[in-house]
Amino acid sequence: MSANQFKSPVVRWIDHRLPVFSMLHHTAHDYPTPKNLNYMWNFGSLAGLSLAIMIVTGIVLAMSYTAHVDYAFSSVERIMRDVNHGWMIRYIHMNTASFFFIVVYLHMFRGLYYGSYKAPRELLWILGVVIFLLMMATAFMGYVLPWGQMSFWGATVITNLFSAIPYVGESIVTLLWGGFSVDNATLNRFFSLHYLMPFIIAGVVVLHIVALHRFGSNNPIGIDTRGPQDTISFHPYYTIKDVFGIAVFLLLLAVVVFFFPNAMGHPDNYIPANAMQTPAHIVPEWYFLPFYAILRAVPDKLGGVLLMFGAIAVLFILPWLDKSPVRSARFRPLFRIFFWIFFVNAIALGYLGGKPAEGIYVILSRVATAWYFIHFLIILPILSTFETTKPLPKSIAEPVLGGFSSTPKQAYAAPRRS
Amino acid sequence: MAKLDTNEKSMPEGAEEPGRRDFMVVATYAMMGLGAASVAWPLIDQLNPAADTLALANIEVDISKIAVGQSITVKWRGKPVFIRHRTTDEIARANATDLMDLRDPQMDKARAEKPEYLVLVGVCTHLGCVPLGQKTGEVKGDYDGWFCPCHGSHYDTSGRIRKGPAPTNLEVPPYDFLSDTVIRIG
Ligand code: HEM
Ligand code: FES
């Protein structure tokens, strides 16, 4: 795209010297995209929107929030009662955090199902896992800020994970706290980092997009695009589809923000932090529950911590565990079955993470934890050698257009509007 | 949206079709704009004073202890408020001033509910400094009221601007006498 394609002379003048418009045009306008993407490809743009909502509402909250153990809780209550629209802005921030995780989990499962992590998109996948880790750290520190009981005890438990490290563990925990318990110093640094990390996430998102545009999107049948007959321009076809997804997302978000704002939260966090008393049943935010279940499944402090981090570490090496050259689960009958078992198992881990660590729940947690790792470390490598895959279509245009080869123009014109 | 002309070409009976399409595009942008604006408003309005800030927006002051000829300064909405118990001479001079001599003409009667007590926001109307003249011994300016040292504005015994760069008289805040000795400002 050369600069003189723009109508406005001002845009042309700027673009000649600073090609931002060409770059945008290239990324979001005539970027060739597989024509067969389904709705599972909407979650990337939704994640971007979620990040934007978090940053905007977060900056606004920070204008009225006080990061001090004596004032944090009441400053959040002041946001809820006194600051104009403060209740709404805070509920949007809280619930968009949950929606962000829902969207990102679906985005990740999409990648798992359609083999989007495979060559040449390994780095794209790895950058995604980095974003996921950063999101978890950001959300964890954000949850500490209102300084309720769950904030305080969540912070205590999670920072204490590091005490499992042999020899240096205790010193690391003291370093994290800036004291001998979770206290004012901890709250201050968490606020500072909670403000910083979303911007780091935004930076990694840019890299994620650069990596994506190197080879373009994967697609539901997982074969490479072979030319213009397989693709359509991003705008208007996928911009309008993304806008539709955004409308549905915002509608659901509004329902939760205005009618069930605390459904995904925990009532104990409306009790001010008390260092002298732990709540009877402490649970992390729902999006951490699968990992929390893995942590508790192991009857050994260091072992539990290692497995929990290991559950994310396997995601980094996934592209080298699943060596099957076929990407999409559509053409891998066995993988497809195991994918759904894995999916159910992941939900089960989430459920178990929210249950008390006793009786049958412990046993089930252990089985589910074992399966999580068996899936990645044993099933996937074995499947990649032994599975008989179904024949792949010759091109994307073939299954989409029922076999007859077509020009892009015919493809657009096919569905006549009434 | 301009790129929709791809369709026009493959649509010979075209003329009416793009019209309908354009309407939808414009309607979509309009709805998106409306949505964005209605989200922007709460994000901007949160910058306005919160309910607890507004709740502190009025104060009650006991004025019985101010001797004739003396002034006190109280804080209201984060700003100084001057309350001067004026002498009969000061009141007389304020009333005797010809309105034609004033930059911001206003009768003294319109500025004081009871002539003995003058209540003013102690913020210079030029660029916001606090004028001198409250404490005994401070410069009161050429008109025996207040003098703003920042850029040299002189106010008279009614707090009206007489000389210097300030454009208007010192502001009179809203206030009531709750009794003979207590006023509520705000
Ligand atoms: C990746 C993006 C982000 C995530 C996942 C996230 C997550 C969270 C979570 C889970 C909470 C606790 C909500 C509650 O229980 O009240 C929170 C609170 C908070 N966040 Fe964020 N946040 C993000 C971005 C930001 C940004 C960019 C800022 C500011 C620049 C910010 C400022 C705050 C503040 C001030 C609070 C405490 C006030 C409150 O509790 O509502 N956040 N965040
Ligand atoms: S601020 Fe008082 S004269 Fe300029």
Side-chain angles (χ1 to χ4, degrees), chain A residues 51 54-62 65 76 79 90 93-94 97 100-101 135 138-140 142-146 191 194-195 198-199 201 269 285 287:
Chain A
L51 181 62
M54 291 314 285
I55 291 183
V56 170
T57 52
I59 289 175
V60 166
L61 286 174
Y65 171 78
V76 171
I79 291 173
R90 174 161 181 255
H93 194 76
M94 270 168 68
F100 197 178
F101 276 94
M135 273 177 68
T138 309
F140 160 65
Y143 195 58
V144 177
L145 301 182
F191 182 47
H194 183 68
Y195 205 134
F199 296 93
I201 295 178
N269 221 26
E285 292 279 80
Y287 35 80

Side-chain angles (χ1 to χ4, degrees), chain A residues 284-402:
Chain A
E285 292 279 80
W286 69 265
Y287 35 80
F288 293 133
L289 289 177
F291 301 100
Y292 195 57
I294 294 177
L295 171 75
R296 296 191 313 183
V298 189
D300 173 74
K301 188 170 173 181
L302 181 60
V305 174
L306 286 181
L307 272 205
M308 187 180 77
F309 285 109
I312 294 166
V314 284
L315 296 177
F316 279 108
I317 54 165
L318 174 62
W320 296 277
L321 292 173
D322 176 4
K323 285 193 153 4
S324 168
V326 176
R327 294 196 190 102
S328 173
R330 282 200 193 168
F331 306 102
R332 300 184 60 191
L334 282 176
F335 172 83
R336 193 173 177 159
I337 294 168
F338 282 109
F339 170 86
W340 286 113
I341 296 175
F342 174 80
F343 181 80
V344 172
N345 188 61
I347 306 274
L349 276 172
Y351 170 79
L352 293 166
K355 289 286 153 194
E358 54 197 34
I360 183 77
Y361 298 126
V362 178
I363 298 161
L364 290 175
S365 299
R366 289 187 186 155
V367 175
T369 301
W371 186 260
Y372 183 95
F373 287 98
I374 290 171
H375 177 83
F376 284 114
L377 298 176
I378 299 175
I379 310 269
L380 289 187
I382 291 181
L383 278 188
S384 22
T385 22
F386 292 106
E387 187 179 28
T388 325
T389 56
K390 291 196 212 156
L392 291 175
K394 278 196 246 359
S395 77
I396 292 176
E398 186 189 33
V400 169
L401 299 168

Side-chain angles (χ1 to χ4, degrees), chain A residues 4-224:
Chain A
N4 30 7
Q5 303 239 347
F6 296 104
K7 278 201 204 101
S8 155
V10 180
V11 171
R12 239 183 291 141
W13 189 91
I14 297 177
D15 198 73
H16 186 61
R17 290 151 182 86
L18 179 74
V20 279
F21 296 101
S22 309
M23 267 165 63
L24 277 178
H25 201 271
H26 183 73
T27 351
H29 199 286
D30 47 21
Y31 167 61
T33 314
K35 62 167 86 165
N36 59 336
L37 299 189
N38 62 29
Y39 276 111
M40 289 311 291
W41 268 259
N42 274 56
F43 292 100
S45 70
L46 290 178
L49 176 74
S50 307
L51 181 62
I53 296 178
M54 291 314 285
I55 291 183
V56 170
T57 52
I59 289 175
V60 166
L61 286 174
M63 293 180 188
S64 302
Y65 171 78
T66 310
H68 186 288
V69 287
D70 294 338
Y71 304 106
F73 189 87
S74 37
S75 75
V76 171
E77 284 310 305
R78 181 174 171 273
I79 291 173
M80 296 301 287
R81 292 152 202 250
D82 288 342
V83 173
N84 301 325
H85 316 283
W87 59 273
M88 180 171 88
I89 294 162
R90 174 161 181 255
Y91 278 156
I92 293 176
H93 194 76
M94 270 168 68
N95 287 293
T96 306
S98 280
F99 271 63
F100 197 178
F101 276 94
I102 296 174
V103 161
V104 164
Y105 278 133
L106 289 170
H107 192 65
M108 292 168 79
F109 277 119
R110 185 281 316 265
L112 289 178
Y113 187 84
Y114 294 108
S116 303
Y117 48 85
K118 290 185 187 177
R121 296 185 184 83
E122 303 94 321
L123 272 182
L124 174 58
W125 171 261
I126 286 173
L127 287 167
V129 182
V130 169
I131 294 172
F132 179 53
L133 273 174
L134 290 170
M135 273 177 68
M136 293 204 288
T138 309
F140 160 65
M141 289 190 277
Y143 195 58
V144 177
L145 301 182
W147 209 243
Q149 274 290 67
M150 282 295 164
S151 300
F152 183 86
W153 293 101
T156 302
V157 168
I158 302 298
T159 46
N160 265 317
L161 290 180
F162 294 90
S163 71
I165 303 169
Y167 309 116
V168 291
E170 292 297 333
S171 328
I172 291 184
V173 174
T174 308
L175 181 92
L176 292 176
W177 286 343
F180 304 103
S181 63
V182 172
D183 209 334
N184 198 44
T186 326
L187 179 58
N188 271 288
R189 60 191 62 184
F190 277 19
F191 182 47
S192 170
L193 293 173
H194 183 68
Y195 205 134
L196 168 70
M197 297 200 28
F199 296 93
I200 296 181
I201 295 178
V204 184
V205 167
V206 171
L207 296 181
H208 191 72
I209 305 283
V210 172
L212 169 70
H213 284 220
R214 183 72 181 84
F215 298 101
S217 296
N218 183 29
N219 63 79
I221 59 175
I223 61 174
D224 293 332

